[in-house]
Amino acid sequence: MENEKTSLLFFQHEDNWQNIKNATMNTIGKTKGSYPDSKWKRELILAEHSPIRKLKFSWRWTNLPYWVSVHFVRHKIGIEHFVKTQRSDRTGVDRNELPQGALVNHECEADAQALITISRKRLCNCASPETRAAWQLVKDAVAQCEPELASCMVRECVYRGFCPEMFGCGFDKTEAFQKEREAYIKG
């Protein structure tokens, strides 16, 4: 079982952009706006204004190593986690005997702001390859239904324009960084 590949069992999202647009219009004293186009969506997401928190997603990773699950549980603002228990009284297995690589199912529910924030840390080259791969599964699923949001789910150095890490990987000094940064800004 330890060699099974992490995957997404399900990914769910409902289009509620009309509600998001209406909330945005309310902030400027209007009652309703027309359904937004792609350009408007990306501008709102890039600006990270509060109505993007109404954009919700849920998913479940299967076969996620426990230690990778712990990386994601560190994120708590705008996201809820539901992780398979390792309690001995529930599983019949002595949890003291389970390795950190034991596989778990990890379900989440998160808003768009959380996806942007988590991406900054979990797409960074300083994150473990396993954690990056698991998060990339989520980003790829987001890209299928909300490409404007996926284009804003970038690593920290691309988001900020420089690497703030104490022991960075050096990606921000590469041509690939420049291309990624330009794509992020341009959309």
Side-chain angles (χ1 to χ4, degrees), residues 7-14 55-61 107-110 115 134-147 149-150 153:
S7 63
L8 288 182
L9 179 63
F10 72 81
F11 182 85
Q12 296 173 330
H13 163 66
E14 290 183 26
L55 192 57
K56 305 279 186 178
F57 302 84
S58 58
W59 66 92
R60 181 182 299 159
W61 285 291
E107 186 171 331
C108 297
E109 182 177 277
L115 298 183
W135 192 249
Q136 188 65 49
L137 290 172
V138 174
K139 182 177 177 177
D140 291 346
V142 170
Q144 295 298 309
C145 57
E146 296 291 348
L149 175 58
M153 292 171 64

Side-chain angles (χ1 to χ4, degrees), residues 161-186:
F162 67 94
C163 177
E165 289 291 330
M166 295 169 65
F167 305 101
C169 71
F171 180 73
D172 63 325
K173 310 281 189 268
T174 68
E175 188 176 319
F177 163 78
Q178 292 299 331
K179 288 180 182 177
E180 234 177 87
R181 176 85 174 142
E182 288 170 18
Y184 169 65
I185 292 168
K186 188 177 179 184

Side-chain angles (χ1 to χ4, degrees), residues 114-153:
L115 298 183
I116 292 167
T117 303
I118 294 166
S119 294
R120 290 167 53 188
K121 298 299 182 196
R122 301 307 174 195
L123 294 176
C124 173
N125 286 342
C126 290
S128 75
E130 296 86 350
T131 302
R132 287 196 315 267
W135 192 249
Q136 188 65 49
L137 290 172
V138 174
K139 182 177 177 177
D140 291 346
V142 170
Q144 295 298 309
C145 57
E146 296 291 348
E148 299 85 3
L149 175 58
S151 74
C152 295
M153 292 171 64

Side-chain angles (χ1 to χ4, degrees), residues 31-44:
T31 57
K32 187 175 182 178
S34 59
Y35 187 88
D37 63 15
S38 180
K39 181 179 183 295
W40 188 91
K41 289 178 184 180
R42 187 164 194 289
E43 287 175 351
L44 187 72

Side-chain angles (χ1 to χ4, degrees), residues 22-118:
N22 295 346
T24 304
M25 298 307 287
N26 186 60
T27 67
I28 59 171
K30 298 182 180 179
T31 57
K32 187 175 182 178
S34 59
Y35 187 88
D37 63 15
S38 180
K39 181 179 183 295
W40 188 91
K41 289 178 184 180
R42 187 164 194 289
E43 287 175 351
L44 187 72
I45 293 165
L46 200 57
E48 297 182 45
H49 286 299
S50 59
I52 70 170
R53 294 194 301 265
K54 294 183 86 152
L55 192 57
K56 305 279 186 178
F57 302 84
S58 58
W59 66 92
R60 181 182 299 159
W61 285 291
T62 60
N63 302 317
L64 191 65
Y66 179 77
W67 63 270
V68 174
S69 177
V70 170
H71 290 168
F72 291 115
V73 171
R74 299 288 186 248
H75 300 279
K76 60 182 187 170
I77 299 172
I79 187 168
E80 290 293 333
H81 302 273
F82 309 95
V83 181
K84 180 184 172 194
T85 187
Q86 291 188 337
R87 285 177 47 176
S88 301
D89 63 327
R90 301 276 200 252
T91 64
V93 177
D94 182 356
R95 73 185 318 169
N96 292 313
E97 302 302 318
L98 290 172
Q100 284 192 19
L103 301 177
V104 296
N105 292 342
H106 184 141
E107 186 171 331
C108 297
E109 182 177 277
D111 64 37
Q113 182 65 64
L115 298 183
I116 292 167
T117 303
I118 294 166

